[in-house]
Amino acid sequence: MPIPADSPRAGLRPHILAVSFLLLYCIGVNFQFLLGRMPYQDDAGRETIPQMRHYGQWLRQGRLPLWNNDLGSGYYQHASGQSAMFYPPNLILYRLLDWSTAYRASLILHTFAACFWLYLLGLALGLRKLPSVFLALCIGGGGVIAAHQIHINIVMGISHAFAILWVATQWLRRDRPWPWALAGAVILGLSLLGGQPQYVSLALLMVIIYALVAWRTANSALCGIGSILGRGALVLVGGILLGAVQVVPLYYYSRMFPRPEPAGHYEFVTSGSFQWADFSRFILPAAGLKTQMGTAYWESLGYVGTAAILLAVLGLLTPRKWNLRMRYAVALIVIGTLLMLGSNTPLYHFLAHIPPFSIFRVPARYVLLLALGLVLLAADYMQFLMKSPAMPSSRVRTGATITAVAFLTAFALVHFLRSYPPMWLRVTVGDVLRLFPAIWLEAALTGLVLAAITPFILIRKQNSTRIASAAILCTLPQLALLWLMLNPTVPMEFWIDPPPAARLCLSRTTHTGEKVACLEPASPTYPPVDTPRTQVADWRDRLAANTCSVYGVPSALVGDAILPAAAMHTDIQLRRNVSDPYRLADFCTRLGIKWITMSPQHLGPPWIQPDPSRPYLYENPDAIGSFFVCEETVLGPGNFPRPAPVGGPYELQPVECRIAGPGEFLLDFTAPRRATLFIMQSHYPGWLATVDGQPIPLQLAHPGGFFMQMPVPAGTHQMRLSFEPWDYDIGLGLSIAAAVLMAMLLAFWLSARRRRAA
């Protein structure tokens, strides 16, 4: 592909201005972070922030917290991939800054990174500067990334996907030397270290589509088939080996704790499919916003602005020769639409059994392909208008397109309002305006955009930059409104002395080694506890919170990974026994639950309220904790390990626990006779135990269980429990070896190049 006249080689100043504009935009939409505020809703409060807080606090002390002691019964935090512990920007940010500053800086930087790689992608595909800025703005600052600001690892994954795609446009070119494939391997490795393999697979799919379209277009700049396969193998193998320190533990962890359905199960793979009604969100994103957001909302949001939709449709209707950009855009739109619809098309009956589609759920995430295709088509048409302003027949097409977009806007508005039929019986129009301001603002902005951009398209003679500038200026307020609507924040004090919305998250990380159970929603976005069971959002949220607390499992894994039945039993028993404080205390004692959070009410003896300033926090003084010595353990109701005998009384000997670090405990205890030391930490290969300096093998408390135990002799003893997983050691060795090998290959190529030049 020939180098565009306005490529970076033609002068850096315009590109610096364009990139600076994108950076300012990313800072602007996240201005609340600069005011010291933090996210709090949904997964950000229940999962992401507690994990990154734990990671940052230990990293600043010079320790990598592979195991998380603070979350319930502990879990292998590194293997879950959510924290991206070896991802270089995380290592730098969380080592130098406090965890909250690092968290906010990472969100801003990776949003900007997505825009930056998209800008380079536009230039690589032959777009001029302004269409490339438009591409970066609508996708990097659009609905897909805005909706996922509560998932910092997904924002990282999306930015990596565009980096992989951009570098692929370089190493696939004939005039690029093979070290560009090394660069592709490095970026792929960094993406895997970021801990989001689903978006890595999505990026590789976009690369394959691009290569096939370029090959079918007979692009003379493309490498031969042999070179493409060789370079592609180098990228794939090198990237996987470079990211092995994350990939190996993640793979083994997923094998240890499989999904509830076998991989490839149709219901699992298609959960989170894009619905036909979700297309209305491409016009008015608030059309899907009801009492709460949730997975069905943020996973299916591909909003890119009205100007992009308008220009994309006109680009398809205008008769002209199709170039590589148009072919690639249409391919992305078609393939992305088929994949994101999931169970709504027959295609997934076949794909549900083929990796990687059989491994990952939420097909709606392929909306990223559709959004990218739409904006790429719009940017291409924008460039076409800049080159060919005189088009006598364009008025009819433009008028028809604007009418269609206006009709779709009205349809989306009606669809939104019809989702509240009971409300129309008891509220006025003024109430609707007050309750749902976002939908009316979006509809008004859509009308203004149509009115503002139409003259620039219809006028035959126009300045070459006027159309692009008008489209960018019209899109900015629409995207800004979307960011404000999707990402509410709270002051930092929320996480220091939290209101009820965050009490569970902070309680279970503050009371180290002590379990907290939740008897109310863990987030203010969910309905009250007495919500009917048919509205399961609150129930699932409380279930997720209790599974985190009791079993030490990240809440993202609750619905589709670990112990759903046991967690459900815990939740049901807690709710059933809440009216009888003694039965509730007995049940919690058996599970080691010391704290209960619930709406302030009188929960009688044996429960106490140790802190009058926190009336929602109740203490169970009889709970011994996560470690105790007993005669033996048996399986109780719901397959919970518990002290014998089943009916009590229990002769439990307390264990003094000192936490030496993440995954490192010092236990002091006295056994009156030969007994069993019960360890309520999640079992995983890599735990090592020594009693009085002698190694002792650990064993599962019960077959198929998740806790550990070991026989101990009579007397006073000290035990050291440490987590040293072998999969981490293997992955780290492979990553170091891959990095050394890549450095040697690059040094060899540079040396050979110098010799040829001499």
Side-chain angles (χ1 to χ4, degrees), residues 382-398:
M382 180 187 294
Q383 184 152 304
F384 174 73
L385 290 178
M386 292 166 66
K387 291 181 178 180
S388 308
M391 294 176 296
S393 62
S394 66
R395 287 188 173 91
V396 176
R397 289 190 299 272
T398 303

Side-chain angles (χ1 to χ4, degrees), residues 51-91:
Q51 291 186 84
M52 299 312 296
R53 178 180 183 174
H54 179 265
Y55 170 67
Q57 288 174 340
W58 280 107
L59 190 63
R60 296 202 76 182
Q61 299 179 38
R63 302 281 297 271
L64 270 173
L66 302 180
W67 187 266
N68 190 325
N69 306 331
D70 297 341
L71 195 60
S73 298
Y75 77 104
Y76 193 1
Q77 182 168 331
H78 169 57
S80 73
Q82 302 290 325
S83 304
M85 292 190 181
F86 280 87
Y87 179 56
N90 277 2
L91 288 171

